[in-house]
Amino acid sequence: MTVLDLTTVIMGPYATQLLGDLGADVIKIESPDGDSVRYHTPQRGTDMAGFFLDLNRNKRSVVLDLKRNDAHEALMKLVARADVVVHNMRPQAVAKLGLGFDKLVSVKPDLIYCAAVGFGSDGPYATRAAYDDTIQAASGLASVMGRQSGVPSFVPSVVCDKVAGQMVANSVLAALLHRERTGKGQSVEIPMFEALVSFNLVEHIGPYAFEPALDKPGWKRVLSPARKPFKTKDGYACLLPYSDRNWRDFLSFIGRPELIDDPKFKTMPERVQNVDELYLIVENSAARFTNAEWMEFCNESSIPAMPVISLEDLWQDEHLNKVNMFSVRDHPSEGHYKSVRHPVRYSGMTTSIRRDAPKLGANTHEVLGGLGYDAADIDALSGQKSRK
């Protein structure tokens, strides 16, 4: 499958990275200035930021100055050969560039046209700019964080971009399956706002699911300020007794067997209602043992538990090393870099890094030459001369 990737920053490029890992030929269409993420620091070169390397692997970079009519014509020739087009532009930008679904499907009738947008096109927010922070604020995520800390805050991860990016990849695969069965292409719209509202309400709709509502939305156990990694004798750990049997074993281990038959803690519904008190018991007990001692007990008792591992320590984790999660690759221009593999394993196919992330426009001549353009025309279409 050939995927024309007209996306920038994180949400769209993450989606097309996933498609590229699965074997798609992803052609990343960039302006003469390139994807802005290229220029984040730190970096070794001039247009290859650290997280750009994995985010844009398995792609070819083609520079087209779409403000030029002849570059737009070149793009249409690529569309005619593509299976999927993915963009993350706002409606006004799509209209200005003449890249709407009706135009592209007239060039390729069975095209899968995927618009990864901030807000659904039929709502009053449709033309608003959207980034991870704005969607965290709008979707209830920042508010949920505030239910723990007392002040709304952002998750220190571009979680909205990544959740929506996965939904983009899933939606493209679903549309391709539909085309395989029916022969028909279609337009697919994935709005970040709606995607994250759906994501947040999976568990937090809770008592609000009933009409009339039984209580305000939010899952009490998850929202408890006491839900956190607990300080142990030599670090921090997640200690999560969950089942009735887990709690009986845990309370016996910490020397509190009298609580096993306490009506407040005996079954899951009662524990959820008294979760703050329960977590305090865990917190007060955590510091009595080291992380190693906790892991030994919890693993023997089938109690979910893991030590808190820092980002820099992930590369020394025995499990991640055993499953070959990381590798060091040699980029043709950037030298050695750490790479994180596609996390899913398939019994009937393989995923691999076939191409390292491309320099800006690295494949312009290769791809456009395949359409019959000569070197001088390609330089003009891409604006490369103006960049030299």
Side-chain angles (χ1 to χ4, degrees), residues 145-371:
M145 293 291 291
R147 296 270 288 273
Q148 279 197 334
S149 65
V151 179
S153 60
F154 296 138
V155 178
S157 170
V158 284
V159 64
C160 298
D161 276 329
K162 291 182 285 188
V163 167
Q166 290 196 344
M167 195 167 287
V168 170
N170 288 340
S171 301
V172 166
L173 294 174
L176 285 170
L177 177 59
H178 180 266
R179 190 182 75 171
E180 187 74 13
R181 291 175 171 173
T182 67
K184 297 179 180 179
Q186 63 180 297
S187 173
V188 183
E189 180 181 88
I190 298 91
M192 287 179 71
F193 180 43
E194 288 93 315
L196 266 293
V197 168
S198 170
F199 178 81
N200 288 333
L201 291 179
V202 166
E203 76 277 32
H204 287 303
I205 193 171
Y208 217 68
F210 300 97
E211 189 62 43
L214 303 182
D215 200 349
K216 63 182 179 180
W219 190 15
K220 190 172 183 178
R221 185 188 77 79
V222 173
L223 291 172
S224 170
R227 177 181 178 255
K228 60 186 177 182
F230 300 112
K231 186 167 179 23
T232 64
K233 186 179 284 188
D234 62 349
Y236 286 85
C238 168
L239 304 173
L240 190 63
Y242 200 81
S243 67
D244 294 348
R245 175 63 183 272
N246 285 168
W247 279 108
R248 289 196 296 269
D249 290 342
F250 183 86
L251 292 170
S252 295
F253 179 73
I254 65 172
R256 301 293 303 275
E258 75 279 4
L259 297 177
I260 291 175
D261 292 319
D262 189 316
K264 293 187 296 183
F265 309 129
K266 194 168 183 178
T267 66
M268 174 72 77
E270 284 75 24
R271 287 194 296 272
V272 170
Q273 293 305 311
N274 297 283
V275 69
D276 290 344
E277 185 177 351
L278 196 61
Y279 278 146
L280 185 60
I281 293 169
V282 179
E283 182 173 14
N284 290 338
S285 304
R288 293 166 51 194
F289 303 96
T290 65
N291 274 358
E293 290 168 334
W294 276 118
M295 294 309 112
E296 181 180 7
F297 159 68
C298 289
N299 289 337
E300 289 176 352
S301 304
S302 294
I303 293 175
M306 283 297 288
V308 172
I309 302 173
S310 67
L311 288 175
E312 56 268 29
D313 286 340
L314 289 174
W315 275 265
Q316 286 73 51
D317 183 81
E318 61 176 344
H319 178 89
L320 294 175
N321 280 308
K322 183 66 175 178
V323 300
N324 299 314
M325 191 68 188
F326 308 119
S327 63
V328 175
R329 295 181 58 83
D330 189 18
H331 192 279
S333 66
E334 307 309 302
H336 296 316
Y337 75 99
K338 297 182 182 71
S339 181
V340 184
R341 70 165 172 83
H342 187 84
V344 181
R345 292 191 184 276
Y346 302 86
S347 66
M349 64 184 199
T350 59
T351 60
S352 64
I353 300 177
R354 305 177 307 284
R355 295 175 178 271
D356 295 298
K359 294 283 284 183
L360 178 61
N363 309 102
T364 304
H365 280 258
E366 168 195 342
V367 174
L368 297 186
L371 298 177

Side-chain angles (χ1 to χ4, degrees), residues 83-87 94 99-105 108-117 121 168 171-172 174-176 178-179 184-191:
D83 298 284
V84 179
V85 170
V86 185
H87 75 76
V94 171
L99 297 177
F101 173 66
D102 290 343
K103 168 65 175 177
L104 269 59
V105 80
K108 181 68 182 295
D110 64 348
L111 182 71
I112 305 303
Y113 177 94
C114 180
V117 298
S121 59
V168 170
S171 301
V172 166
L176 285 170
H178 180 266
R179 190 182 75 171
K184 297 179 180 179
Q186 63 180 297
S187 173
V188 183
E189 180 181 88
I190 298 91

